């Protein structure tokens, strides 16, 4: 697992041929065959997709040679982690905003989230970036490491499959309200513990970003449950408190508008706060890697 963390730090995500992208294409092809406007159809789709990669991971974990088994674990860990790419995207957004290049920042935002950036200015672009970094620190770093520690290679691959399916079909719209229900609920369950661990680690790492542990803890406890997501709110509230900024507000996704409660007490984020959030996310990732390795060794 540590070798996989190092691989992610050095290589990040490949631009082409990423295993997660290959899984996404296979899941989309299966969706075209299985789609139906019913929860039962979505359950079958999720079961086939997640079950297949879990079985693949179980088969890979049965390699007898210790060096080969370690190599498989390292590659699987690298494949499911996204912390380095997340940090690079945050740094790119900060650079665009520091240069006053709103067009560039708006174009880049799609790499982090699905919000409509056309009418967003610096404070809202920075807010969207910090919120995405906070949530994805759990989804792309802490959660896969935790599941890898608990369930080895099958846990690594199955978690990434669940999280990818939620991003693909776990939406509340006409097409996926019922078909995507299973993917969304399973993702909520899979991230319940990792998201709360992310919140705690972000609180403890607040000084890395120039923040206060006490303030971060207070905001997490006060605001973490106010977010419509049962998990994302814990991450965003902890980051808001650690950075001493206010997150939340109105988000536009195409024709859909969401009004989310505000988290934190400070001003809206700026480009400088994006860079601080990247440092905070990196510290949380390193701490999670250490905890995951310790848990795996004890297991």
């Amino acid at each position: 697992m540590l070798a996989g963390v190092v691989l992610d730090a050095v290589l990040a995500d490949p631009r082409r041929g990423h295993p997660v992208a290959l899984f996404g294409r296979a899941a989309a092809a299966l969706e075209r065959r299985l789609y139906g406007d019913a929860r039962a159809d979505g359950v079958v789709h999720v079961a086939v997709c997640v079950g297949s990669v879990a079985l693949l991971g179980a088969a890979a974990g049965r390699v007898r040679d210790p060096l080969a088994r370690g190599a498989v674990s390292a590659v699987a860990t690298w494949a499911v982690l996204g912390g380095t790419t997340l940090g690079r995207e945050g740094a790119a957004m900060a650079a665009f905003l520091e240069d006053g290049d709103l067009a560039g920042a708006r174009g880049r935002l799609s790499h982090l989230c699905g919000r409509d950036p056309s009418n967003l200015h610096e404070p809202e672009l920075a807010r969207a970036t910090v919120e995405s970094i906070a949530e994805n620190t759990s989804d792309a770093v802490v959660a896969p490491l935790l599941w890898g520690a608990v369930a080895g290679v099958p846990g690594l691959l199955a978690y990434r499959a669940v999280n990818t399916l939620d991003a693909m079909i776990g939406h509340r719209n006409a097409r996926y309200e019922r078909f995507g229900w299973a993917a969304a609920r399973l993702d909520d369950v899979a991230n319940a513990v990792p998201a709360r661990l992310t919140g705690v680690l972000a609180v403890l790492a607040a000084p890395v970003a120039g923040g206060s542990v006490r303030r971060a803890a207070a905001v997490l406890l006060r605001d973490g449950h106010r977010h419509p997501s049962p998990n994302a709110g814990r991450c965003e509230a902890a980051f808001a408190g650690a950075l001493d900024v206010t997150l939340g507000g109105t988000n536009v996704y195409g024709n859909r508008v969401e009004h989310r409660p505000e988290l934190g007490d400070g001003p809206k984020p700026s480009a400088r706060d994006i860079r601080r959030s990247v440092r905070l996310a990196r510290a949380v990732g390193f701490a999670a890697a250490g905890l995951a390795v310790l848990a795996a060794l004890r297991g």
Side-chain angles (χ1 to χ4, degrees):
M1 289 181 69
L2 280 177
V5 172
V6 172
L7 283 174
D8 177 65
V10 173
L11 302 177
D13 294 335
R15 294 186 178 182
R16 295 182 180 179
H18 195 290
V20 175
L22 297 176
F23 168 80
R25 287 198 286 272
L30 184 63
E31 178 189 338
R32 289 192 289 271
R33 290 180 173 272
L34 297 180
Y35 178 81
D37 191 19
R39 287 184 176 182
D41 298 309
V43 169
V44 172
H45 180 255
V46 170
V48 172
C49 291
V50 177
S52 297
V53 297
L55 289 174
L56 177 64
R62 291 192 174 187
V63 176
R64 292 187 177 183
D65 181 79
L67 290 178
R69 190 164 60 247
V72 168
S73 297
V75 171
T77 302
W78 162 76
V80 302
L81 288 179
T84 299
T85 297
L86 179 65
R88 290 178 181 178
E89 290 298 331
M93 285 293 294
F96 279 124
L97 294 178
E98 288 164 351
D99 293 341
D101 185 356
L102 288 182
R106 288 167 179 163
R108 192 82 178 204
L109 187 64
S110 63
H111 293 207
L112 287 166
C113 64
R115 298 180 199 179
D116 180 0
S118 57
N119 293 314
L120 299 184
H121 295 278
E122 179 178 346
E124 289 304 306
L125 288 166
R127 176 173 72 85
T129 302
V130 172
E131 289 173 355
S132 296
I133 290 172
E135 182 177 357
N136 284 297
T137 297
S138 176
D139 289 355
V141 183
V142 178
L145 288 170
L146 180 61
W147 280 106
V150 170
V153 175
L156 288 166
L157 300 186
Y159 169 77
R160 178 50 63 207
V162 169
N163 190 246
T164 302
L165 288 175
D166 177 61
M168 293 175 64
I169 65 174
H171 308 297
R172 294 182 179 178
N173 56 32
R175 179 175 175 83
Y176 293 125
E177 181 71 31
R178 284 176 284 275
F179 184 78
W181 173 84
R185 297 292 77 74
L186 186 57
D187 184 74
D188 287 343
V189 172
N191 282 295
V193 173
R196 285 151 182 79
L197 177 59
T198 300
V200 171
L201 293 177
V203 166
L204 296 176
V208 172
S212 161
V213 171
R214 179 176 295 182
R215 181 175 60 239
V219 173
L220 173 60
L221 291 173
R222 187 193 69 196
D223 296 342
H225 66 283
R226 301 179 64 204
H227 195 283
S229 165
N231 298 322
R234 270 65 183 186
C235 308
E236 292 184 18
F239 269 64
L243 300 172
D244 194 21
V245 298
T246 294
L247 302 177
T250 300
N251 298 338
V252 178
Y253 302 89
N255 296 324
R256 181 167 55 90
V257 179
E258 292 185 4
H259 301 282
R260 297 181 178 178
E262 291 189 340
L263 312 175
D265 300 308
K268 292 292 184 181
S270 64
R272 173 177 173 272
D273 297 314
I274 295 176
R275 295 196 182 277
R276 294 170 63 218
S277 73
V278 171
R279 292 201 304 271
L280 180 60
R282 188 177 296 119
V284 170
F286 287 148
L291 291 175
V293 170
L294 289 174
L297 288 172
R298 289 180 63 85

